[in-house]
Amino acid sequence: MSFLMVCVVLFQGCATSRTTTHYGFFEAENSAGELRQFRLIWEVIEVEGFNDRRRYSTPLMLETQCSERVLRFYDENYRSQRSCMASDELGIAFCGAPGLDIDHRALPIEQGKACAYASDARGSAEITLLRDEVQITMRCQPKKTQERQGRKWINQDYLKPSVIPYVVATKSVAGSDRDGHVPKLWNHSSVCDPDQGR
């Protein structure tokens, strides 16, 4: 038996894992003032061994209808991706990029400042602890809502900044097949580019 096979057998004998996909849909305006649908999605992986049980998560992803820009929110377990917050500071944040994003006043993003936050009614600071209704606080917007690629304009817009958090009701399903378990955003040209057929 090869070393790899031994490792697989040992791992299966010592631990079991279970994945749950969490998601939510809501409608709101993007920063260009267009009414769009948004999808919030993340996965929690629970690994149970002989002596302990651990929970891990994927980043919290916020997708925008008719846009290729996906915002990824990270907690303290993703320190390098959450560089806009101190490593010992709790919270789930999206770190904007100075070349791509500006703050809600259309000013450059300050160094070391988070662009957006996620939590819930209980104030959860880790993605694995989020429950039922997720609150998204947006403090930034895209520097450019569209970008030219060849002859086409590609939408890079996302959720409009707001002083009041967006509240997103979420559901959960067993498994990690996102496309199989969770509906996709409707990105048909009739919605995203209604003038195309004229």
Side-chain angles (χ1 to χ4, degrees):
M1 187 179 290
S2 70
F3 176 75
L4 180 61
M5 288 291 291
V6 170
C7 289
V8 171
V9 171
L10 287 175
F11 179 78
Q12 289 177 340
C14 297
T16 58
S17 65
R18 182 180 66 181
T19 300
T20 304
T21 301
H22 302 264
Y23 67 96
F25 287 86
F26 66 105
E27 282 192 351
E29 288 186 358
N30 61 17
S31 66
E34 301 164 325
L35 186 63
R36 294 290 184 233
Q37 190 177 50
F38 296 83
R39 182 173 84 159
L40 194 66
I41 188 167
W42 75 99
E43 293 177 356
V44 173
I45 302 96
E46 189 171 333
V47 179
E48 187 170 358
F50 281 133
N51 300 319
D52 63 354
R53 176 184 295 177
R54 296 187 181 185
R55 290 163 59 87
Y56 305 91
S57 73
T58 61
L60 183 76
M61 297 196 306
L62 179 61
E63 301 168 338
T64 303
Q65 186 181 33
C66 306
S67 176
E68 291 196 356
R69 186 83 185 271
V70 177
L71 306 189
R72 289 176 171 82
F73 292 72
Y74 299 94
D75 58 23
E76 64 172 341
N77 296 303
Y78 293 89
R79 293 181 182 178
S80 61
Q81 291 96 333
R82 204 195 59 159
S83 57
C84 56
M85 294 178 69
S87 59
D88 60 346
E89 189 176 354
L90 299 177
I92 305 165
F94 160 67
C95 299
L100 298 175
D101 305 296
I102 51 179
D103 73 9
H104 64 285
R105 300 164 297 175
L107 297 174
I109 296 172
E110 293 181 41
Q111 187 68 27
K113 294 287 185 181
C115 201
Y117 297 92
S119 188
D120 58 16
R122 296 161 59 228
S124 297
E126 290 187 26
I127 298 172
T128 58
L129 300 178
L130 291 173
R131 297 288 184 272
D132 301 332
E133 290 186 339
V134 175
Q135 299 176 3
I136 303 291
T137 303
M138 289 298 305
R139 294 184 176 172
C140 60
Q141 57 189 326
K143 194 172 184 178
K144 294 181 180 179
T145 59
Q146 290 185 323
E147 152 182 298
R148 184 146 198 156
Q149 292 183 6
R151 296 182 178 181
K152 294 181 65 178
W153 286 95
I154 306 300
N155 194 352
Q156 299 291 329
D157 213 345
Y158 54 80
L159 189 60
K160 183 179 181 177
S162 175
V163 294
I164 301 172
Y166 295 91
V167 179
V168 187
T170 64
K171 298 179 180 180
S172 61
V173 292
S176 62
D177 180 8
R178 292 180 184 177
D179 292 332
H181 290 89
V182 183
K184 296 181 181 180
L185 292 172
W186 180 246
N187 288 319
H188 193 269
S189 60
S190 61
V191 176
C192 302
D193 192 7
D195 297 327
Q196 188 180 42
R198 295 180 183 177

